[in-house]
Amino acid sequence: MGLQARAWAPVDIAGLAVFRLMFGAVMLVDLIRYWIAGWIDGHFVDPAFLFKYHWLEWVQPLPRVGMYVAVAVMMVASVGVALGAAYRLAAVVLLVGHAYLYALAATHYLNHAYLLGLIALLMVCVPAADGLSIDAWRRPKARRGWVPMWTRWVLLAQLLIVYTFGGIAKLNADWLAGVPVAGWLQGAAKRVPEWMGTWLDTEVAVGLMVQGGLWFDLLVAPALLWRRTRVLAVMASLAFHLTNAYLFDIGVFPWFMLLATTLFFDPSWPRRLPWIGRTLDGWLGPVPVQAPVPAGHRKTKALLLGWLVFQLAMPLRHHLYPGNVAWTEQGHYYAWRMKLRSKSGSARFVLRAPSTGQSWVVDPADELTPWQTRKMVAKPDLVLQYAHHLAARWEREQGVAVEVRAQVNVSLNGRQRRPLVDPEVNLAAVEASLWPAPWIAEAPIEPVRRRRRRRTRQP
């Protein structure tokens, strides 16, 4: 059977149906966290100014009640996805809601939020509720125990891309030197028992995290695909993701990746579970030994190919820009460059009205939240966006056009602070674009030196 024919060959729906249930549950937990932690107000309602993604400046938050209603509707939709109730509608609502929250604030970009959005889009497209769902129970004639092979391949390909590019991105001098891993472990050491904190502050712990993270990302997906190494890969996944969940505050990401590991198993694995396997058979329906392979589906093939090309190209686009992507941030989004750099610094903006010669110095902390300030200082595109905001605000409130220059000094992975953007450039006259940005200052080229911290024992 050719590759194209195999893509439409039937495979057991059991694994996909269980993944659908787990995906809906993860999305529900993530939304509950947002609600309980007060992040709806803190992220979208309270800030006086919200940073936006390029081309998405038109997306605006709803009034406070509307934001809470939107999140509540998403919660209901996530339950619908998990249970397979009005599945297609629920999946679309969840996708649109997630995309809306994502687009509202560029300062809250997270790789795992982007990944959940991609999976939500794929789940709209796959028939994941044709078994083990309320929809299938209500319409027995629509229930089937199989799905086309491509529905599994496209999800596996997405996970393989995340892991592989996450590993490739770690092949840089700073990561291999243990920076900023050492700093993160020192931070984690304050939140764990003393004996563990003492060990996390050692060279052995740093080296294990550096090499373990690199080789895990590069090898785990192929190891999960190969039956002979799958058990070992599952054990490594448990160790890796549970360690990250315990040491670092990265939300639902490690839990989702652990649950997504089941996609690499044989598609029929839920039917083999003790005690409940036979019950699942009644909800899933039989798997045909052989089924006719459709001849057409040209649009589906084109969409799948376009999706994979896009996902492979996005992590590589930083090579089109000069300079270090960890400094310029051009090509950093959507590239699975996870936990690779640590930036800290300070910023102030100098405004000058050419018509009057009057000038003002603006501290962004007077308007932005601490989280927004930290994120803006690290990203030149956000510095530019805030400069435009200040220019528009001054013209609106003071009635004068101003030039805006930014004095932003940043440390990359512990290096000495240096200007992130050219302090002589009038950013109010610079248009945001996807082209290389000559107004971004040159990246530091000196090798990073990690300071070894000696822990002192309390008497």
Side-chain angles (χ1 to χ4, degrees):
M1 186 183 294
L3 182 61
Q4 292 188 7
R6 286 186 61 193
W8 270 263
V11 296
D12 197 337
I13 195 177
L16 179 61
V18 171
F19 175 74
R20 182 209 74 232
L21 192 157
M22 295 188 296
F23 173 70
V26 166
M27 296 296 283
L28 177 62
V29 169
D30 203 28
L31 291 167
I32 291 174
R33 287 176 64 246
Y34 255 77
W35 191 293
I36 294 177
W39 293 339
I40 301 174
D41 285 333
H43 291 181
F44 309 120
V45 178
D46 294 341
F49 172 74
L50 290 176
F51 290 92
K52 300 298 178 61
Y53 297 97
H54 190 42
W55 294 335
L56 293 176
E57 294 84 359
W58 54 272
V59 181
Q60 297 297 324
L62 297 169
R64 184 173 187 270
V65 173
M67 292 302 302
Y68 276 88
V69 170
V71 173
V73 170
M74 290 176 64
M75 290 181 183
V76 174
S78 64
V79 174
V81 169
L83 300 180
Y87 171 72
R88 199 70 66 180
L89 174 61
V92 170
V93 170
L94 186 59
L95 169 64
V96 172
H98 182 82
Y100 173 66
L101 293 183
Y102 176 89
L104 277 178
T107 46
H108 295 288
Y109 172 84
L110 293 170
N111 282 284
H112 88 254
Y114 173 52
L115 176 60
L116 290 176
L118 294 179
I119 298 298
L121 176 56
L122 293 177
M123 295 302 287
V124 169
C125 302
V126 300
D130 286 357
L132 194 61
S133 67
I134 291 177
D135 288 349
W137 171 72
R138 292 177 59 242
R139 297 189 299 271
K141 292 183 178 180
R143 183 178 61 195
R144 59 179 178 176
W146 63 278
V147 288
M149 176 74 80
W150 68 264
T151 60
R152 178 171 178 257
W153 282 358
V154 70
L155 291 166
L156 288 177
Q158 186 63 67
L159 295 173
L160 182 62
I161 288 170
V162 173
Y163 276 125
T164 302
F165 279 107
I168 292 173
K170 290 181 174 64
L171 294 172
N172 68 79
D174 283 9
W175 177 271
L176 296 176
V179 179
V181 174
W184 294 331
L185 289 181
Q186 287 177 1
K190 301 174 183 178
R191 303 188 297 269
V192 299
E194 184 178 357
W195 65 269
M196 184 179 295
T198 301
W199 183 78
L200 289 176
D201 208 13
T202 65
E203 293 297 316
V204 174
V206 174
L208 183 62
M209 185 67 70
V210 167
Q211 295 298 324
L214 170 64
W215 292 108
F216 176 84
D217 281 348
L218 290 176
L219 299 178
V220 68
L224 285 167
L225 286 171
W226 193 23
R227 187 184 299 271
R228 294 185 178 182
T229 55
R230 188 171 296 154
V231 173
L232 181 61
V234 170
M235 295 174 61
S237 297
L238 284 168
F240 181 81
H241 292 302
L242 291 179
T243 298
N244 281 339
Y246 181 67
L247 294 180
F248 308 118
D249 183 17
I250 48 179
V252 300
F253 181 66
W255 305 105
F256 170 74
M257 294 304 285
L258 266 180
L259 297 175
T261 299
T262 60
L263 288 169
F264 291 88
F265 299 172
D266 184 281
S268 298
W269 72 267
R271 298 182 189 265
R272 303 192 183 104
L273 293 174
W275 299 299
I276 65 173
R278 292 185 179 181
T279 303
L280 289 178
D281 284 340
W283 280 81
L284 292 166
V287 184
V289 177
Q290 190 171 9
V293 178
H297 299 288
R298 290 184 178 179
K299 291 183 179 179
T300 304
K301 294 175 185 177
L303 289 173
L304 288 173
L305 180 60
W307 176 271
L308 292 176
V309 169
F310 178 80
Q311 291 299 322
L312 290 170
M314 288 298 282
L316 298 174
R317 75 190 190 286
H318 69 88
H319 293 293
L320 300 175
Y321 297 99
N324 182 355
V325 61
W327 179 258
T328 69
E329 302 286 326
Q330 293 194 289
H332 175 81
Y333 289 146
Y334 321 119
W336 313 119
R337 302 183 61 81
M338 297 174 281
K339 295 187 76 67
L340 292 177
R341 80 275 191 267
S342 177
K343 284 180 174 177
S344 61
S346 61
R348 72 173 189 167
F349 293 79
V350 179
L351 283 61
R352 178 180 176 275
S355 60
T356 64
Q358 190 176 5
S359 63
W360 301 264
V361 176
V362 176
D363 182 352
D366 293 338
E367 181 179 19
L368 303 179
T369 67
W371 173 268
Q372 288 179 309
T373 303
R374 288 197 301 271
K375 289 296 182 179
M376 182 202 67
V377 165
K379 301 187 177 194
D381 62 312
L382 300 187
V383 172
L384 177 63
Q385 190 175 150
Y386 193 65
H388 283 204
H389 164 72
L390 289 177
R393 175 182 151 195
W394 241 251
E395 185 168 4
R396 182 177 64 252
E397 296 179 357
Q398 306 292 335
V400 294
V402 295
E403 299 175 343
V404 182
R405 291 172 175 82
Q407 299 174 354
V408 184
N409 296 300
V410 175
S411 168
L412 172 63
N413 288 341
R415 293 177 175 87
Q416 185 176 357
R417 289 189 179 186
R418 60 182 300 162
L420 180 68
V421 301
D422 188 338
E424 300 301 322
V425 172
N426 173 22
L427 296 180
V430 176
E431 293 295 329
S433 75
L434 299 181
W435 294 101
W439 48 272
I440 300 177
E442 292 186 3
I445 58 175
E446 69 270 20
V448 66
R449 294 182 179 179
R450 176 157 56 87
R451 297 179 181 177
R452 297 185 180 182
R453 178 185 172 191
R454 295 183 178 180
R455 295 178 63 89
T456 57
R457 292 179 177 270
Q458 296 293 333

